[in-house]
Amino acid sequence: MSNNPQLNRNGQLQHLLTTEGLPAPILLNILDTAESFVGVTERDVKKVPLLRGKSIFNLFFEPSTRTRTTFEIAAKRLSADVVNLNIAASSQSKGETLLDTVNNLSAMHADMFVVRHAQSGAAHLIARHVRPEIHVINAGDGRHAHPTQGLLDVFTIRRYKPDFRSLRVAIVGDILHSRVARSQIHALTTLGVPEVRVIAPKTLLPTKVERLGVHVYHDMTKGLKDVDVLMMLRLQNERMFSARLPSTEEYFKYYGLTQEKLSLARQDAIVLHPGPMNRGVEIDSAVADGGQSVILPQVTFGIAVRMAVMSILAGN
Amino acid sequence: MQLPDAEQLLIQLTESIRRDISPSTALVGIHTGGVWLAERLLQNLQLPLPSGTLDVSFYRDDFAQIGLHPQVRPSDIPFTVEGSHIILVDDVLYTGRTIRAAINELFDYGRPASVRLAALIDRGGRELPIAAQYVGAVVDVPSDKMLALEQSADGTLGLSLYSKIRDNE
């Protein structure tokens, strides 16, 4: 057995838990396969019969309408049957353990679990527990990882900036609590992006973040210089009123992306945001809706990337 | 064994298709050999509609056995399928399973007026009730061999025989 729990003994993707440690050929295969699914989602019949008869369970232990919906749409466009479980509101409140919930659903012949959980490592725990024919996709676990978001972000970047070897990318915002930022950093560095910057106040950066291979900036004026890609992070509500930030107004003043700050980056720079956006907090409306924003294409490509991940896993 | 000359067969295939073309005839090549052939046929026949390409990976019937093809290429149908007379183009017609998948995929783009099939080689061995209307040559190929079309750097097409067994090709 490989010591990477995501890979089967043939080195193929068995579960998608994190972008960390995934070899570049596997990442590239997901991105290339997603290219073919973009075409499918643009047709009149936005559906292929690939996963016909498969049952996919969306296990959302943490509320998320948007991510759950994108997984649901992806599964349906692959002709799978999808069951959505909002577990925060059901069994767990009756005292059932995580693995008992999974055992019950496995007994209903689930083929794939899509897991969102507030605890880091929840998807790993399920992946280690299930039978080998069941596949697990991590749809976000605590502060740890959100691999499909990281993959759809690199897919979007590749669509606009195909040559990763010459890119300068800046990730801006709450790196400390962001599973999205971690997944982005691992995917970008594995795919050969030579310079990944993180820009944030000291209170929103993990200690020793440089170990991830990123360059650290606390000042947007310096950090955005010559950047090709800006990846904005959502400032989560619970952080806005914590001791880590004086006020959202002050955060916007220093780190909110305005046209003026954006003009410090390269003229053809693109702006990404994983959504949902806090307009006037981490991003100004003029930028979010402006010509350099690729935020809505990210949503469209997110479906294709999730279709690619699901169909590669189901075939391995 | 002696394989026929692909360029010679392409000329014959062109002439047999030429008799049936209309302004609403469109070619659709199946990856990869069929795409090369469709490009050449389009030049030879001077059709008004651009050619399409299909990669049938998402429609194959052996996904449960062998999983997703490691290199899926995007399908592209740059004309309106509804009402058009489509000629599917493939290099080697064998079990018919690829053609079944291609027809299913095509119908997800619309309802064509008709679908016909052109194959450079028909090697027999059908496992489905599928036949080609235009065939360059019928060739007997041993079942443990694989026949494939190849394109050289200058664009010339040629046929090669392999021992490698690939199901459903």
Side-chain angles (χ1 to χ4, degrees):
Chain A
M1 279 292 280
S2 146
N3 57 7
N4 187 335
Q6 306 192 89
L7 304 181
N8 66 19
R9 74 181 77 118
N10 300 322
Q12 298 169 313
L13 201 62
Q14 170 72 14
H15 307 290
L16 179 64
L17 305 175
T18 168
T19 52
E20 185 178 3
L22 278 188
I26 286 187
L27 297 181
L28 289 169
N29 180 231
I30 294 171
L31 302 186
D32 292 344
T33 305
E35 282 292 343
S36 293
F37 282 119
V38 171
V40 170
T41 63
E42 287 167 353
R43 304 186 317 206
D44 276 358
V45 177
K46 301 177 198 59
K47 213 172 162 86
V48 295
L50 210 55
L51 299 195
R52 197 168 149 261
K54 301 278 184 204
S55 298
I56 298 179
F57 284 73
N58 276 332
L59 304 186
F60 277 62
F61 297 89
E62 187 184 74
S64 161
T65 311
R66 174 189 299 233
T67 302
R68 201 209 66 212
T69 306
T70 57
F71 276 103
E72 183 177 351
I73 293 171
K76 286 180 169 171
R77 289 187 180 165
L78 292 167
S79 304
D81 296 311
V82 190
V83 181
N84 290 312
L85 287 117
N86 180 7
I87 302 190
S90 69
S91 309
Q92 295 242 311
S93 56
K94 296 176 185 163
E96 189 175 69
T97 70
L98 175 62
L99 292 182
D100 277 336
T101 303
V102 168
N103 284 340
N104 269 279
L105 297 171
S106 299
M108 298 178 203
H109 299 290
D111 295 293
M112 197 177 290
F113 292 119
V114 177
V115 182
R116 160 71 63 98
H117 202 290
Q119 292 291 325
S120 298
H124 275 84
L125 179 69
I126 295 173
R128 277 201 303 272
H129 177 73
V130 294
R131 293 193 307 268
E133 65 272 23
I134 297 179
H135 304 279
V136 177
I137 299 177
N138 182 6
D141 62 329
R143 297 183 188 183
H144 173 242
H146 190 357
T148 57
Q149 179 70 45
L151 287 167
L152 80 86
D153 291 335
V154 293
F155 181 88
T156 306
I157 294 170
R158 196 174 74 155
R159 276 255 162 164
Y160 295 91
K161 312 271 178 194
D163 186 8
F164 277 15
R165 289 164 306 172
S166 64
L167 281 190
R168 211 173 265 129
V169 177
I171 302 171
V172 185
D174 182 1
I175 314 284
L176 178 62
H177 301 97
S178 177
R179 54 195 175 205
V180 172
R182 280 170 188 67
S183 292
Q184 291 169 334
I185 292 168
H186 292 303
L188 290 166
T189 50
T190 303
L191 292 175
V193 171
E195 189 174 342
V196 180
R197 301 176 180 181
V198 293
I199 312 176
K202 284 184 177 126
T203 52
L204 293 180
L205 278 171
T207 51
K208 299 184 176 142
V209 65
E210 307 81 4
R211 285 185 180 174
L212 296 176
V214 297
H215 303 261
V216 179
Y217 292 83
H218 302 296
D219 175 354
M220 291 281 264
T221 313
K222 290 180 187 147
L224 291 183
K225 193 171 181 332
D226 298 327
V227 157
D228 302 283
V229 178
L230 289 83
M231 305 174 89
M232 306 306 295
L233 296 173
R234 172 181 165 74
L235 192 65
Q236 290 163 12
N237 291 326
E238 54 270 37
R239 318 292 172 219
M240 291 186 197
F241 306 103
S242 73
R244 294 184 186 277
L245 288 177
S247 70
T248 53
E249 289 77 13
E250 192 159 327
Y251 182 83
F252 181 72
K253 183 178 165 201
Y254 290 105
Y255 296 98
L257 187 63
T258 56
Q259 281 294 357
E260 192 187 352
K261 292 196 194 95
L262 178 55
S263 67
L264 301 167
R266 287 177 59 101
Q267 231 182 346
D268 60 352
I270 54 170
V271 178
L272 291 84
H273 190 295
M277 282 184 282
N278 296 302
R279 289 170 183 261
V281 180
E282 69 261 2
I283 190 163
D284 191 34
S285 277
V287 175
D289 305 328
Q292 288 169 267
S293 164
V294 296
I295 295 169
L296 289 177
Q298 275 178 280
V299 178
T300 307
F301 297 148
I303 306 281
V305 169
R306 288 174 177 124
M307 288 171 81
V309 170
M310 287 176 165
S311 52
I312 289 169
L313 286 178
N316 285 345
Chain B
M1 66 184 278
Q2 183 67 40
L3 291 172
D5 174 26
E7 289 291 334
Q8 200 61 45
L9 296 181
L10 180 61
I11 295 169
Q12 292 164 30
L13 198 62
T14 306
E15 293 319 309
S16 61
I17 295 173
R18 195 189 297 281
R19 292 193 291 268
D20 292 343
I21 58 176
S22 74
S24 55
T25 297
L27 303 172
V28 173
I30 299 171
H31 273 292
T32 302
V35 172
W36 299 330
L37 287 168
E39 281 168 10
R40 296 285 301 278
L41 287 168
L42 184 73
Q43 285 171 17
N44 294 354
L45 295 165
Q46 295 289 311
L47 298 176
L49 290 175
S51 292
T53 62
L54 287 182
D55 182 314
V56 301
S57 296
F58 299 149
Y59 290 79
R60 295 181 67 103
D61 59 11
D62 53 4
F63 175 71
Q65 284 81 45
I66 60 171
L68 196 62
H69 192 283
Q71 280 177 308
V72 185
R73 290 133 304 192
S75 294
D76 176 36
I77 305 292
F79 57 88
T80 305
V81 166
E82 196 77 30
S84 60
H85 291 279
I86 290 174
I87 300 176
L88 277 175
V89 183
D90 203 0
D91 47 5
V92 180
L93 177 58
Y94 185 21
T95 62
R97 288 176 191 267
T98 300
I99 306 304
R100 192 283 308 164
I103 295 170
N104 279 129
E105 177 161 10
L106 205 51
F107 275 72
D108 282 347
Y109 285 87
R111 181 179 184 271
S114 69
V115 180
R116 281 169 288 170
L117 175 61
L120 197 66
I121 299 282
D122 180 348
R123 59 171 287 188
R126 219 76 79 238
E127 293 167 3
L128 293 171
I130 279 170
Q133 285 69 41
Y134 311 105
V135 175
V138 178
V139 178
D140 261 332
V141 181
S143 59
D144 61 340
K145 299 276 193 240
M146 197 186 87
L147 187 60
L149 189 68
E150 293 181 341
Q151 190 180 45
S152 64
D154 68 354
T156 309
L157 297 173
L159 286 161
S160 298
L161 203 58
Y162 296 94
S163 304
K164 200 172 112 194
I165 297 167
R166 284 202 299 185
D167 283 340
N168 294 335
E169 290 282 344

